[in-house]
Amino acid sequence: MGLIGSYNLRSMIVRKGTAAMTAGGIAMVVAVFVMTLAIAQGFRATLVASGSPQNSIILRKGATAETVSGLLRSDVPLIETLPQVARGADNRPLASPELVVAIALPRQTDNQNANVPVRGVGPKAFQIRDAMTFVEGRQFAPGTREINVGRLAVGRFKGLGLGSDVKFGNATWTIVGIFTADDAAFESELWGDVDLMMPAFQRIGYQSMTVKLADASMFDSFKAAIESDPRLYLKPSREQDYYAEQSQAMTTVIRVFGTFVTLILSIGAVFGAMNTMYAAVAYRTREIGMLRALGFSRFRIVTAFLAESVALALVGGVLGCILALPVHGLSTGTTNFTSFSEVAFKFRITPALLAGGMLFSAVMGAVGGLLPAIRAARIPVARALREI
Amino acid sequence: MALIELRDVTKTYKRDAIEIPVLDRVSIDVPEGEYLGLMGPSGSGKSTLLNLLAGIDRPTRGSIRVGDTETSSLSERALAGWRARNVGFIFQLYNLIPVLTAFENVELPLLLTNLSKTQRRDHVMTALGIVALSDREKHYPRQLSGGQEQRVAIARAIVTDPRLLLADEPTGDLDAKSAGEVLTLLQRLNKEYKKTIVMVTHDPHAAERATRVLHLEKGTLVEQTPAAVGG
Ligand SMILES: Nc1ncnc2c1ncn2[C@@H]1O[C@H](COP(=O)(O)OP(=O)(O)O)[C@@H](O)[C@H]1O
Ligand SMILES: [Mg+2]
């Protein structure tokens, strides 16, 4: 196949103009494909990063997300005192009862209000999530109206700088620290003392509780302990499983939408490739006739022209991947369906995604090249040789 | 037994609903080692006859045998394989691939064999040597004269060492000098290398080189004794 391959390849180079247009069309589609999937990938990575293998999140039985869950104040000591819960240097349990409420703040970009999650947390919350670090300021002091803000939220919303005051829940809160959390969803949130937030938002209970276990392997016995206590109507989950599940609905929507858009676009690109290949076949009819006269089979002609089309598409695929690469790491945000608040995340292009883009371009080349290749193979030899 | 045996070969083309008769009950025997010239006015069916011999077209009726093979009854696939092994075809317009070098053009038919790269190289260089173009192996067709292009095409036709060479007006596009060289080459292939050749031509000088000349007129054969028998 070597020489025949280079024959098709060199013939393609002769028609650089149309070849470049076709490759360009395919490049566009592959770029869109890679970019939309990079959104899904980034979104999922952000939520999954929010979970740690040693942590467990406890919700009311039947609740699928924090927003629809509830915990009684009296539940907290029953859980905290379980032997599986890790303890800090002060011998107090690493457990944080929490409350999440969405407030509206104006976005930096368009000044439009969007929902931002405010999370009331216990004093150990920062110790429980080990990826949390302060880039500016310090942790809020328990019992005060001090709050901390995630760095991604600072970038996306107005008035969240260090030292600023933010009004919500009939009170004014002062920002005393800005934190990062390894791109986790927490970076899009505002954190303050849960015991002050509860009355501010007129709540009478918590929504969830997150605990650090003494060891990740203790989850099963921890779960059994909670489920066997008749006073608790709660369900503990591994934190990572919980957040992976939270991302499911959104990533599915992005993937379905992305696939739909790229499919529509790819129809155009496939027709482009088909057009180019029909032109190539018409232009080289006499050469094809000659090859057949020499004894090249129809099958060989089909594969040669298919290979040409696929090669052309792969050039487009590489181009498309290169076009898409610069969005890697760019931040964007979207409303998570399960929490109805904005989650900031970064586009994430993985090697597997690029491989998917290349495969997609090859498929477009094959689909676009198939009919022209079959036509090339079906031209009657005697008639092809008469072509001028 | 003759190498080629055509029996009552009839060919009609259908254009719309009308049948166009091109060949009408042609029977020819070509003995092994013959250099047969086919002459006749334009449109008399010479190319059609040659294509039938080459197995790139099929007779409407009648039978064609080459060696022990009844080519008129082979499947499309089998016929392609048979062509690759048994026939070297030389075209009026050379039909070299412009993006391939002389070497690569000659190598094309060898891609259908099991030969290794080095064996292919040997065969190609031998063929280019016979047509006296060894020094042009790296040239592209556009860097060659018409006569040289046709000699590359002849090298391509002989590189698999087929017993049968078919040439359709091989000098039709050449000046007298180049045509003379090509004709001398074909004559040598017939004499020295024992190739059976069937050559279509409308040039009486070309036909002179053949050992026998047949005339086609409106699809039927008119055998004439050649005025001058070459060689
Ligand atoms: N594929 C075809 N379809 C229809 N008519 C054809 C086809 N090939 C050849 N013919 C006709 O057959 C006749 C003989 O053609 P050809 O064999 O090329 O003649 P020659 O080579 O002697 O000039 C011509 O009238 C030509 O138009
Ligand atoms: Mg002709």
Side-chain angles (χ1 to χ4, degrees):
Chain A
M1 208 63 197
L3 180 53
I4 278 294
S6 68
Y7 154 61
N8 286 91
L9 222 63
R10 284 185 225 169
S11 304
M12 193 168 83
I13 292 164
V14 169
R15 308 169 284 124
K16 343 184 194 7
T18 45
M21 293 243 293
T22 311
I26 285 171
M28 290 301 179
V29 179
V30 169
V32 170
F33 174 81
V34 170
M35 285 194 256
T36 45
L37 291 190
I39 293 175
Q41 203 80 29
F43 185 78
R44 186 181 159 77
T46 291
L47 286 193
V48 170
S50 309
S52 144
Q54 218 181 320
N55 290 359
S56 171
I57 180 167
I58 301 126
L59 303 180
R60 170 178 288 279
K61 266 189 192 157
T64 51
E66 284 180 278
T67 42
V68 294
S69 166
L71 251 80
L72 303 175
R73 276 171 175 278
S74 58
D75 290 343
V76 174
L78 296 176
I79 300 167
E80 275 183 347
T81 50
L82 287 171
Q84 292 88 353
V85 177
R87 285 173 181 266
D90 55 2
N91 201 33
R92 293 191 51 79
L94 294 182
S96 169
E98 299 184 356
L99 182 67
V100 181
V101 180
I103 61 163
L105 286 179
R107 276 200 283 246
Q108 296 273 22
T109 45
D110 53 8
N111 213 26
Q112 297 282 312
N113 278 354
N115 283 343
V116 187
V118 173
R119 183 179 293 271
V121 300
K124 297 288 187 206
F126 286 88
Q127 247 176 292
I128 293 170
R129 278 85 175 203
D130 19 51
M132 315 282 280
T133 31
F134 280 89
V135 286
E136 278 183 86
R138 53 167 176 85
Q139 186 179 339
F140 66 84
T144 68
R145 292 199 195 282
E146 292 179 347
I147 54 169
N148 297 130
V149 182
R151 190 181 48 182
L152 291 172
V154 176
R156 289 183 64 78
F157 293 95
K158 292 195 165 166
L160 293 183
L162 188 67
S164 307
D165 285 339
V166 189
K167 283 192 170 66
F168 58 83
N170 288 324
T172 303
W173 310 74
T174 308
I175 298 170
V176 297
I178 292 166
F179 62 85
T180 59
D182 258 4
D183 292 344
F186 303 129
E187 273 196 56
S188 303
E189 298 180 347
L190 275 59
W191 284 20
D193 188 334
V194 70
D195 290 326
L196 288 172
M197 298 240 170
M198 202 185 299
F201 289 115
Q202 289 148 31
R203 301 292 175 102
I204 50 158
Y206 304 107
Q207 284 177 328
S208 69
M209 181 150 151
T210 298
V211 304
K212 189 175 214 81
L213 300 172
D215 191 279
S217 64
M218 288 179 178
F219 175 77
D220 289 332
S221 67
F222 176 69
K223 184 177 183 205
I226 288 178
E227 286 180 343
S228 64
D229 190 330
R231 293 165 294 178
L232 297 174
Y233 189 70
L234 301 174
K235 176 179 170 264
S237 311
R238 289 178 200 276
E239 206 183 25
Q240 284 186 324
D241 295 348
Y242 171 76
Y243 283 110
E245 217 166 274
Q246 295 297 296
S247 71
Q248 202 67 54
M250 191 67 189
T251 44
T252 305
V253 166
I254 297 172
R255 288 210 175 107
V256 167
F257 174 77
T259 309
F260 179 73
V261 169
T262 38
L263 274 184
I264 299 282
L265 291 178
S266 69
I267 292 172
V270 163
F271 272 106
M274 197 182 288
N275 214 26
T276 301
M277 290 312 295
Y278 270 131
V281 169
Y283 184 71
R284 274 147 51 201
T285 299
R286 203 151 53 86
E287 285 173 27
I288 296 164
M290 180 277 291
L291 287 171
R292 298 266 292 123
L294 292 188
F296 282 83
S297 65
R298 285 190 163 153
F299 181 73
R300 284 226 180 208
I301 301 289
V302 168
T303 46
F305 276 86
L306 257 189
E308 179 171 335
S309 181
V310 169
L312 182 60
L314 283 176
V315 171
V318 170
L319 234 72
C321 287
I322 292 172
L323 272 177
L325 268 183
V327 307
H328 179 74
L330 280 189
S331 313
T332 182
T334 184
T335 300
N336 188 5
F337 292 166
T338 33
S339 67
F340 295 104
S341 13
E342 285 254 322
V343 177
F345 60 90
K346 291 177 175 166
F347 281 84
R348 220 176 127 91
I349 296 178
T350 58
L353 201 50
L354 294 179
M358 291 307 292
L359 184 70
F360 185 39
S361 69
V363 169
M364 282 190 278
V367 172
L370 187 62
L371 290 179
I374 290 174
R375 175 182 288 181
R378 292 180 65 98
I379 303 170
V381 186
R383 192 180 309 159
L385 288 172
R386 283 174 183 276
E387 294 270 325
I388 304 301
Chain B
M1 192 173 73
L3 176 65
I4 304 173
E5 195 182 274
L6 267 77
R7 284 292 168 267
D8 294 323
V9 167
T10 297
K11 179 73 185 176
T12 52
Y13 283 111
K14 261 205 186 103
R15 194 172 285 160
D16 302 324
I18 310 154
E19 290 210 342
I20 306 162
V22 177
L23 292 173
D24 183 21
R25 281 166 294 156
V26 174
S27 298
I28 306 176
D29 282 355
V30 183
E32 176 106 49
E34 186 171 54
Y35 184 173
L36 176 68
L38 263 179
M39 293 191 75
S42 182
S44 58
K46 305 182 296 295
S47 294
T48 302
L49 182 58
L50 206 66
N51 289 345
L52 291 174
L53 284 178
I56 58 184
D57 208 350
R58 290 168 178 284
T60 312
R61 276 182 299 279
S63 71
I64 302 170
R65 179 184 60 74
V66 180
D68 336 307
T69 311
E70 194 74 28
T71 58
S72 45
S73 60
L74 286 183
S75 72
E76 181 70 36
R77 212 184 142 81
L79 206 52
W82 176 83
R83 283 199 295 273
R85 287 186 305 276
N86 296 282
V87 184
F89 209 104
I90 300 156
F91 310 89
Q92 177 177 353
L93 297 173
Y94 335 128
N95 281 336
L96 298 179
I97 291 185
V99 297
L100 299 183
T101 62
F103 182 96
E104 290 165 334
N105 267 291
V106 176
E107 193 185 6
L108 278 173
L110 296 178
L111 300 180
L112 299 169
T113 66
N114 295 323
L115 297 179
S116 72
K117 207 175 161 68
T118 34
Q119 286 171 317
R120 291 207 300 266
R121 166 141 214 109
D122 288 348
H123 281 67
V124 171
M125 289 319 288
T126 306
L128 281 174
I130 291 171
V131 301
L133 285 174
S134 305
D135 54 335
R136 299 303 173 101
E137 57 160 312
K138 295 206 169 67
H139 285 55
Y140 286 92
R142 70 185 131 75
Q143 298 169 314
L144 300 171
S145 71
Q148 288 169 331
E149 278 194 80
Q150 190 60 296
R151 274 148 61 201
V152 171
I154 292 173
R156 180 180 64 192
I158 60 173
V159 75
T160 53
D161 199 21
R163 61 212 293 209
L164 181 60
L165 288 183
L166 302 173
D168 195 350
E169 310 210 25
T171 59
D173 238 40
L174 297 177
D175 60 83
K177 184 170 167 290
S178 302
E181 285 166 8
V182 164
L183 290 171
T184 306
L185 184 56
L186 287 175
Q187 211 165 8
R188 231 182 95 216
L189 289 170
N190 174 243
K191 289 242 172 64
E192 267 178 52
Y193 296 90
K194 309 291 175 220
K195 301 290 176 204
T196 305
I197 301 178
V198 179
M199 176 180 70
V200 165
T201 183
H202 57 242
D203 174 8
H205 293 295
E208 271 173 21
R209 310 281 191 119
T211 45
R212 179 165 64 122
V213 178
L214 293 176
H215 290 259
L216 261 181
E217 248 163 71
K218 289 182 188 151
T220 49
L221 221 46
V222 216
E223 197 158 350
Q224 299 182 343
T225 323
V229 177

